[in-house]
Amino acid sequence: MVEGRRGGEPELGRVSPRPLLETQGLTRYFGGLAAVDHVDLTVSEGEIVGLIGPNGAGKTTCFNLLSGFIRPTAGTIRFDGDDITRLRPHQVVRRGLVRTFQLTTLFQEMTALENVLLGLHLHSKKGLGQVLFSRRTYPPEEVARSREVLDFAGLSAHADQLARNLPHGHQRALGIAMAMAARPRLLLLDEPVTGMNLDESGRVMALVKTIRDRGTTILLVEHNMKAVMGTCERIVVLNFGQKLAEGTPADVSANASVIEAYLGAGLAHA
Ligand SMILES: Nc1ncnc2c1ncn2[C@@H]1O[C@H](COP(=O)(O)OP(=O)(O)OP(=O)(O)O)[C@@H](O)[C@H]1O
Ligand SMILES: [Mg+2]
């Protein structure tokens, strides 16, 4: 198992610094099905961690639990040492734990810049609805901050284009830019490159690395193994809601139970 790269202040005198994210026994049932089953997951500051597993393994349910969209049946979630298990989504975001917007949640009839402006208000308790209602009165500092984020995501040339007119890869990058506007300490990315061509996925994964290098920790769910293996320093494998394996990309790709789980899933889909 590898130790993650850590940013921020060195923690002198501590052998093992407190993880940024730590779940213990995280469990969520849907009826009789344990979608997430006693998962212990830790992510240290500055890491890029991959969360992988066959379809239905519980990855998205994990993200829904971490971001407060659904409540766990059992277990705890700690973020930066605080118990956030029962917090609501806007409270989780305010602490700096932000998940990306999926493609479908971009505001297609708004420009790229307006989408990022809305991302600034992910913290807002009243939610995006009211912000949308009062839009077009954005303070200049918000516009400036949003342009910075767009620039960082390589989208400044597209600031005034409607989201729906952007190529697929740019729409995904815009989803990440919206999340970045909320200044996350930990960014949860659910399948950021699935369905992309090699060129597009290469660009988005380069953006993910840049985001980490600038100080945001990353937890990444992705089926594209080239992207996962090439980007993550540590990988956690889920299968039927349980943690099956954990380690470096080399460790998990050589792990017999991981190979079996993926082959089993492949055969089940055949
Ligand atoms: N809201 C829900 N109600 C009932 N069952 C659900 C719900 N959400 C997820 N499940 C079930 O929980 C299990 C885990 O689903 P989840 O979406 O977390 O898997 P996943 O690992 O993200 O899969 P994929 O790789 O296909 O996105 C699946 O069996 C799924 O059918
Ligand atoms: Mg999923």
Side-chain angles (χ1 to χ4, degrees):
M1 209 159 298
V2 283
E3 281 271 274
R5 216 185 62 96
R6 293 190 179 88
E9 296 288 313
E11 301 200 41
L12 295 174
R14 294 187 62 174
V15 176
S16 170
R18 190 172 66 185
L20 183 59
L21 176 74
E22 181 174 35
T23 72
Q24 279 178 344
L26 191 63
T27 300
R28 170 68 198 216
Y29 274 85
F30 291 115
L33 171 87
V36 173
D37 193 359
H38 293 89
V39 171
D40 296 340
L41 174 71
T42 61
V43 179
S44 295
E45 191 133 35
E47 278 192 298
I48 303 184
V49 176
L51 183 63
I52 68 169
N55 293 113
K59 306 177 298 292
T60 297
T61 305
C62 256
F63 274 17
N64 288 336
L65 290 166
L66 295 175
S67 51
F69 281 79
I70 59 173
R71 292 279 167 91
T73 311
T76 55
I77 306 168
R78 298 186 84 80
F79 186 65
D80 200 19
D82 296 332
D83 190 333
I84 62 159
T85 314
R86 306 247 143 228
L87 295 190
R88 300 170 59 81
H90 73 269
Q91 297 171 313
V92 174
V93 169
R94 197 175 294 152
R95 283 167 182 258
L97 201 171
V98 181
R99 68 182 299 173
T100 44
F101 279 73
Q102 300 286 299
L103 187 55
T104 46
T105 53
L106 285 181
F107 297 94
Q108 297 288 341
E109 299 303 324
M110 297 175 76
T111 66
L113 181 67
E114 286 172 316
N115 271 278
V116 177
L117 276 159
L118 290 175
L120 291 176
H121 292 277
L122 284 176
H123 290 282
S124 140
K125 189 175 176 180
K126 51 191 175 195
L128 289 179
Q130 265 183 298
V131 178
L132 270 170
F133 199 66
S134 60
R135 73 195 172 92
R136 301 207 185 281
T137 53
Y138 301 112
E141 64 274 13
E142 289 192 5
V143 175
R145 160 93 186 127
S146 301
R147 286 198 183 277
E148 250 174 57
V149 173
L150 275 180
D151 187 35
F152 168 65
L155 294 170
S156 26
H158 306 281
D160 300 320
Q161 267 177 277
L162 294 183
R164 70 175 156 86
N165 292 336
L166 295 174
H168 185 66
H170 287 4
Q171 292 201 14
R172 291 284 183 90
L174 181 57
I176 297 176
M178 272 186 90
M180 287 308 292
R183 300 182 193 268
R185 292 184 64 194
L186 174 65
L187 181 62
L188 307 180
L189 294 162
D190 197 354
E191 303 199 20
V193 303
T194 297
M196 284 187 177
N197 65 37
L198 205 60
D199 191 40
E200 288 174 327
S201 66
R203 256 183 282 149
V204 169
M205 292 320 292
L207 175 63
V208 168
K209 281 188 182 168
T210 309
I211 289 171
R212 190 283 299 276
D213 291 345
R214 293 214 186 169
T216 299
T217 305
I218 308 272
L219 181 61
L220 168 76
V221 164
E222 182 50 63
H223 283 291
N224 178 328
M225 282 304 132
K226 187 171 184 290
V228 169
M229 297 296 166
T231 312
C232 299
E233 290 134 357
R234 195 157 63 78
I235 293 174
V236 175
V237 187
L238 290 184
N239 193 31
F240 296 115
Q242 296 182 341
K243 192 159 81 176
L244 182 66
E246 183 172 11
T248 62
D251 288 343
V252 298
S253 28
N255 182 304
S257 10
V258 173
I259 294 166
E260 197 185 332
Y262 272 91
L263 281 177
L267 291 175
H269 290 161

